[in-house]
Amino acid sequence: MNRTIFRSAIAVLLAAFAVLSCQKEEISPEAGKADGAVLMFTSEDAGSTKTEWDGSTILWSAGDAISMAYTLDGVWNKSLYASEPLAESASAAGFAVSTGLASDTNGKLSFYGVDPAGSADFSTAPSSHQIPGTDTYDKTADVMVARSALDYKGVPQGEIPMYWERVVAHADLTLSNLALSADETVQTLTLVADSESDLTGRFALDIATAEYSPAGQNANTVTLDISGLSASAAGTLNVWAVMMPCSIASLKVELTTSKAVYVREIETFDSELAANTRNVFTIDMTSARKLTLPEDNDAIDTE
């Protein structure tokens, strides 16, 4: 069967506002080019850490890199620096960043971060192929921003604590009462919201306020490759996904398996996908229509 996987481009655009001109400045990555002070950052809020779900806690992932920027006396520095890759997976993170700051720099310093590092770039819109695994979800679409817990009068000598917040929504979806045969395997899950809801797409982000606005290529439909998952013997299936925050008035659920497509339409879903939140939904598939899949791949309604 031919499967179409929706690729959601989630681009974080850093809106750097000059104090006098109020004009956005582009921040370009300068990783590896800095020869100034090396600063050590730590994550403070373990409840919002990233990026791998281990069944009970969301962990930072070994190898992750984080983009960092700073303001000096309220003016954005034009360079964006990448951290050293994280050494291990953990509920908290510490990472070093080589900056262009001279050790004797004076003035009010504030620090900001974006994870994943590849999202913080004006020039590209990284594609995010959402493939939830057995115990994880697509971490490349799980965008977070951070601000230093304190402001500094000069270059800090010790560790700099950062407070993180997601600017995307987590959807923890459970499909219940699935009537699948013993040899029937799940393949894709398609969610279609009402036309006013953007489940995926691009957005422009003001890193200082963590406020965002849609920036095109948005869609009210997302298809998840769930071929690595399986339904329980009781007929339940749990799927994690990363989506844009929005209000969903109505929702159509299409579960494609190796033998059929199960369709459930909920006209009054009336739910919020809130940012920085684990949004938990259980969808009863008892009343779902079953469409069989013949060899020519044309679905036929069996009802």
Side-chain angles (χ1 to χ4, degrees), residues 200-216:
T200 58
R202 299 180 60 198
F203 57 86
L205 175 70
D206 185 332
I207 192 175
T209 65
E211 295 179 352
Y212 75 95
S213 57

Side-chain angles (χ1 to χ4, degrees), residues 6-292:
F6 183 87
R7 301 183 68 87
S8 61
I10 298 183
V12 177
L13 310 181
L14 304 185
F17 293 97
V19 174
L20 297 179
S21 67
C22 293
Q23 183 177 0
K24 292 182 180 179
E25 299 173 353
E26 181 173 332
I27 302 178
S28 301
E30 295 290 340
K33 300 179 181 179
D35 55 3
V38 177
L39 303 179
M40 184 68 188
F41 295 87
T42 60
S43 64
E44 283 291 289
D45 47 347
S48 295
T49 54
K50 103 148 263 331
T51 54
E52 294 180 358
W53 172 256
D54 68 354
S56 60
T57 305
I58 301 173
L59 303 176
W60 293 87
S61 302
D64 277 2
I66 298 162
S67 288
M68 298 295 303
Y70 62 86
T71 59
L72 178 60
D73 290 329
V75 179
W76 280 97
N77 178 60
K78 293 183 178 180
S79 297
L80 188 69
Y81 305 101
S83 75
E84 296 179 1
L86 300 185
E88 60 184 357
S89 295
S91 59
F95 49 93
V97 178
S98 297
T99 70
L101 284 165
S103 58
D104 59 352
T105 298
N106 291 315
K108 179 182 176 182
L109 280 167
S110 302
F111 298 92
Y112 300 86
V114 176
D115 183 87
S119 297
D121 194 332
F122 269 110
S123 60
T124 61
S127 294
S128 169
H129 191 178
Q130 298 193 40
I131 307 179
T134 302
D135 58 358
T136 187
Y137 53 88
D138 180 15
K139 63 184 181 181
T140 62
D142 192 12
V143 184
M144 294 180 70
V145 296
R147 189 187 190 283
S148 52
L150 303 171
D151 296 323
Y152 299 87
K153 295 181 179 179
V155 176
Q157 299 301 309
E159 293 184 343
I160 304 170
M162 304 290 292
Y163 282 101
W164 291 87
E165 182 177 13
R166 281 183 171 81
V167 293
V168 293
H170 279 181
D172 182 356
L173 305 171
T174 298
L175 306 186
S176 64
N177 296 314
L178 291 169
L180 307 183
S181 59
D183 60 345
E184 192 172 1
T185 58
V186 297
Q187 296 184 341
T188 62
L189 177 66
T190 298
L191 305 174
V192 183
D194 55 281
S195 60
E196 300 299 317
S197 301
D198 290 331
L199 299 182
T200 58
R202 299 180 60 198
F203 57 86
L205 175 70
D206 185 332
I207 192 175
T209 65
E211 295 179 352
Y212 75 95
S213 57
Q217 299 183 11
N218 299 336
N220 66 333
T221 300
V222 59
T223 297
L224 306 173
D225 181 342
I226 58 172
S227 55
L229 305 180
S230 59
S232 70
T236 61
L237 175 67
N238 182 247
V239 178
W240 275 76
V242 176
M243 301 185 191
M244 291 181 66
C246 65
S247 299
I248 303 177
S250 64
L251 184 68
K252 181 168 72 171
V253 179
E254 297 182 359
L255 173 66
T256 301
T257 72
S258 56
K259 295 188 175 183
V261 178
Y262 300 84
V263 181
R264 169 81 197 280
E265 298 188 48
I266 308 172
E267 294 183 1
T268 56
F269 191 71
D270 293 337
S271 298
E272 293 284 332
L273 273 177
N276 203 41
T277 301
R278 176 188 174 189
N279 301 274
V280 182
F281 305 105
T282 297
I283 299 173
D284 188 350
M285 298 294 286
T286 302
S287 60
R289 291 185 297 119
K290 181 179 180 180
L291 312 175
T292 59

